[in-house]
Amino acid sequence: MDTTKKVWLVTGASKGLGLSLVKKLLAQNYRVVATSRNIQSLIAEVGEVSDVFLPLEVRLTDNEHVKEGIAKSIAHFGQLDVIVNNAGFGQIGTLEELTDEEARNSFDVNVFGSLNVIRNAMPYLRKNRSGHIFNIASVGGFSGAFPGWGIYCATKFAVVGFTESLAEEVKGLGVHATVVYPGYFRTDFLAKGSVKTPQHTIEEYEAARQSQQAHLSDINGNQPNDPEKAAEVLIAISKEEKPPVHLFLGSDAYDIVYKKVDFITSEVEQWKSYTLSTAL
């Protein structure tokens, strides 16, 4: 094994993009820490603890548990180089439908879980003045125009916002930060048991119900993008001397970017007189 290879830490690694990335990293002789809520699922998919692989059961919403996981990672490999905050889940439901508990649970996992990892990894990266943090958001973190996905989009908008700030905060420390916006990839993200539906629905929200049905029945299993190729892109970007802060993945993500840019530009121009009328 090439001992100069970087050590990656990937959260939410037992399935989907996280699992594809872990397997591809190991195939390329990187050393990998993989976390999941269930360590047995990691072992079943990848293997037992070895000199190149460390599976960890980590509760990302528990800051102390995350701190312990980071310490175990460094103790096992002696270094930590690339962090991929991939753990998260989709929550369907309109803003009115979702309970306070459902909404907060989404933010606890999708936002505060990543913040716990960043908070506890940064002292090590800062000391070494090197490293790269990838935060996996979604195209739903760039465009919220998905009825019935408001809370999910809100969590991903939050990921985008704190990654932009993080990139500015750490760029003088030799550390890079990239927010990743995947489009629809062929993973089990939309499968039963992965995506969550509202405990209580309001049928008047026809657009949300149609979107829910489309995602669970039509889009699931027919996503246009390949997670294996996404994993390859992340590895390639990690080698760049000046990596991007924003990374969009998938042809559909590309289309959504320009659709929103055109929409915002059109609205700004349409209402420009009001915007400028507030100037001194």
Side-chain angles (χ1 to χ4, degrees), residues 22 42 96 151 191 203 218 241 262 277:
V22 166
L42 280 174
E96 181 184 356
I151 288 298
E203 292 309 312
D218 303 327
E241 184 178 346
D262 290 344
S277 68

Side-chain angles (χ1 to χ4, degrees), residues 21-74:
L21 178 59
V22 166
K23 289 183 176 180
K24 198 163 290 288
L25 287 167
L26 291 171
Q28 296 184 22
N29 297 320
Y30 287 94
R31 293 170 289 171
V32 180
V33 180
T35 81
S36 174
R37 290 173 296 175
N38 182 356
I39 193 172
Q40 293 306 317
S41 62
L42 280 174
I43 293 173
E45 287 285 354
V46 184
E48 300 281 350
V49 176
S50 69
D51 60 345
V52 296
F53 180 62
L54 178 64
L56 291 177
E57 186 168 312
V58 177
R59 297 187 303 276
L60 295 177
T61 56
D62 183 335
N63 183 68
E64 290 304 310
H65 209 229
V66 171
K67 186 176 182 179
E68 292 173 10
I70 296 291
K72 289 177 182 178
S73 302
I74 296 171

Side-chain angles (χ1 to χ4, degrees), residues 57-240:
E57 186 168 312
V58 177
R59 297 187 303 276
L60 295 177
T61 56
D62 183 335
N63 183 68
E64 290 304 310
H65 209 229
V66 171
K67 186 176 182 179
E68 292 173 10
I70 296 291
K72 289 177 182 178
S73 302
I74 296 171
H76 189 80
F77 288 119
Q79 66 187 79
L80 197 57
D81 303 290
V82 182
I83 308 292
V84 182
N85 279 309
N86 173 68
F89 71 94
Q91 173 69 67
I92 300 175
T94 67
L95 300 184
E96 181 184 356
E97 289 171 328
L98 293 181
T99 64
D100 179 72
E101 181 182 10
E102 288 173 305
R104 288 179 184 274
N105 186 44
S106 292
F107 275 87
D108 282 344
V109 175
N110 294 359
V111 178
F112 292 107
S114 292
L115 290 175
N116 286 342
V117 174
I118 293 168
R119 182 184 306 111
N120 289 290
M122 269 308 302
Y124 180 81
L125 302 182
R126 177 164 47 81
K127 179 181 178 181
N128 288 335
R129 301 189 73 81
S130 67
H132 195 159
I133 298 174
F134 288 94
N135 294 321
I136 308 300
S138 162
V139 290
F142 184 79
S143 173
F146 299 93
W149 290 88
I151 288 298
Y152 175 75
C153 289
T155 66
K156 295 305 182 178
F157 267 81
V159 171
V160 172
F162 72 62
T163 305
E164 288 187 345
S165 292
L166 178 65
E168 289 297 313
E169 292 166 358
V170 303
K171 67 181 182 181
L173 303 173
V175 179
H176 301 291
T178 298
V179 58
V180 183
Y181 305 78
Y184 288 98
F185 279 80
R186 291 187 297 277
T187 68
D188 56 2
F189 175 76
L190 293 173
K192 185 177 181 181
S194 293
V195 68
K196 295 187 178 182
T197 54
Q199 297 174 17
H200 307 287
T201 59
I202 301 173
E203 292 309 312
E204 284 88 339
Y205 286 108
E206 295 181 6
R209 294 290 76 74
Q210 291 171 2
S211 175
Q212 177 176 327
Q213 181 64 27
H215 279 83
L216 297 181
S217 300
D218 303 327
I219 298 175
N220 183 34
N222 297 304
Q223 297 95 324
N225 302 303
D226 183 355
E228 297 294 318
K229 293 181 178 179
E232 292 174 359
V233 170
L234 292 181
I235 294 172
I237 292 296
S238 74
K239 299 175 183 177
E240 292 289 334

